[in-house]
Amino acid sequence: MENKKKFLATDIIYLSLLALGPLFAIALKVLFTPQADDINIAGALIFFTVKLPFSDLPVTETQVNSLVVIWSIFWLCKYITHGISVRGGLKRQIIAEWIVEKTKSLVKGNMGEYFASFAPFVAAIMGLSAFSSLLTLIGLYPPTSDINTTAGWAILVFILITYYKFKCGPVHYLKSFGDPVPFLAPLNIISEFATPVSMAFRHYGNVLSGSVISVLVATALQGVSHLIFGKLPGMLANIPFLQIGLPAVLSVYFDLFSGLLQAFIFAMLTMLYVSGGFPAEDYAAKKAARDLKRAAKQNSN
Amino acid sequence: MMLELAIGIILGGCALGAGAAMIAGIGPGIGEGNAVAKACEAIGRQPECKGDVTTTMLMGCAVAETTGLYALVIAILLIFVAPGRFVDILLNAVK
């Protein structure tokens, strides 16, 4: 009985810490948003600017909201994995196991056995991206509709790709640019840098275009309903009747479907690019040759 | 008077440029339509591999969308960023 109470109390603590993040972000937004009546398609709010010697560091909504997402995901994971046991687990343990198994099988299926340890990284990117995009559902600014966030992730992925391309040594890496003919090297270099750029722009453009279209449609509906219902007496004239319902349908597509799809696609492209950049056959051949040499050395000794 | 005219031309040019940039939306539209049509055909022929076909189709759609999104980024820059820059340049030149 005592244990059960303790367990429940821990659960409540985790959940309240989880909710604290979005509440904090909403409070900040309410405090800092300037009053405006017309349509507002602005970038992230700048809360304050830190003076640094070389260039000022503005602390924006993007940074705060992405930290909030990280904080909330951390406590969500704590909650989901709370009370894990080998036998007779809770319902949430099934969800946690399902997530882990699905990610592992996805990574193994797309990247091969060598990259099996990539599962946590891919799951982290997918979760962070998905929850960042879903932040629009509670009216917050999604960090993924800022180019800086997605560009940061894309640069991280680019570093990973280059690291795995370097696995066979720098000579092999430089040679890969002259493939299939050395004449095409400039194009290969351009396409090397186009990878992170297109990844960043794809994610950012999808989320941003969704929010821009939603705002435009909502404003247009307001105008149309003023035109139609403006003659109604009293307070009724000021209620935008057409705004009821239709923006929600758009939100289901742009916020829910598009956001989750982009998270999946970003993780998928990460897996494909990293495993595609890795010269698996050459690496295996090199490793086999090295092993052979080592074995021969040991035999001679 | 001339200054206002110049600013008006800048704003109008930016808006026209943004609209013209979004012509690029045609390409991804046709491409994605083709991809989805072929995916439907494939599912009709082999309903048992629906999951794989759908995943691959979504990936292909996302990659085909990229050019359209480049155009979108250009259009957004032209609408929200470029006018301010150009007007600043103009005002500095007038001074």
Side-chain angles (χ1 to χ4, degrees), chain A residues 16 57 59 71 96-97 134 142 145 162 165 188 197 211 233 244 248 251 253 255 269 277 286 295:
Chain A
S16 50
L57 174 75
V59 175
W71 163 273
E97 283 175 2
L134 289 182
S145 81
T162 315
K165 278 189 176 174
N188 279 332
V197 170
S211 58
I244 301 167
S251 171
Y253 176 77
D255 295 342
L269 286 178
K286 201 181 165 191

Side-chain angles (χ1 to χ4, degrees), chain A residues 69-91:
Chain A
V69 170
I70 293 166
W71 163 273
S72 291
I73 289 177
F74 176 75
W75 291 112
L76 184 68
C77 292
K78 281 293 249 188
Y79 172 74
I80 261 183
T81 55
H82 188 213
I84 265 185
S85 61
V86 179
R87 228 171 272 170
L90 297 160
K91 266 182 197 162

Side-chain angles (χ1 to χ4, degrees), chain A residues 181-218:
Chain A
V181 278
F183 168 68
L184 288 177
L187 284 181
N188 279 332
I189 291 169
I190 291 174
S191 74
E192 189 78 11
F193 286 105
T195 306
V197 170
S198 77
M199 277 178 94
F201 276 156
R202 181 177 303 121
H203 200 315
Y204 148 81
N206 265 293
V207 178
L208 182 72
S209 65
S211 58
V212 168
I213 292 172
S214 300
V215 170
L216 286 181
V217 167

Side-chain angles (χ1 to χ4, degrees), chain B residues 1-74:
Chain B
M1 187 62 201
M2 286 302 280
L3 195 66
E4 283 163 13
L5 189 66
I7 290 174
I9 289 173
I10 287 176
L11 295 181
C14 285
L16 280 177
M22 284 316 290
I23 292 174
I26 295 171
I30 295 172
E32 283 178 32
N34 275 336
V36 177
K38 291 289 177 191
C40 287
E41 271 177 28
I43 292 173
R45 216 178 296 128
Q46 274 177 304
E48 65 271 14
C49 61
K50 188 183 172 196
D52 282 351
V53 169
T54 312
T55 316
T56 317
M57 181 203 77
L58 286 176
M59 284 291 304
C61 280
V63 175
E65 221 173 34
T66 312
T67 47
L69 288 168
Y70 287 159
L72 175 85
V73 170
I74 299 289

Side-chain angles (χ1 to χ4, degrees), chain A residues 15 19 28 54 56 62 64 76 80 84 87 97 100 103 150 158 175 186 191 205 214 216 244 249 259 281 293:
Chain A
L15 284 182
L28 265 185
F54 293 110
D56 291 349
T62 312
V64 173
L76 184 68
I80 261 183
I84 265 185
R87 228 171 272 170
E97 283 175 2
V100 171
T103 333
T150 53
F158 177 70
K175 258 187 197 164
S191 74
S214 300
L216 286 181
I244 301 167
V249 179
E281 285 168 13
K293 220 184 221 173

Side-chain angles (χ1 to χ4, degrees), chain B residues 7 10-11 14-15 76-89:
Chain B
I7 290 174
I10 287 176
L11 295 181
C14 285
I76 284 172
L77 284 180
L78 274 174
I79 289 178
F80 292 113
V81 182
R85 286 272 167 84
F86 289 150
V87 169
D88 275 355
I89 292 170

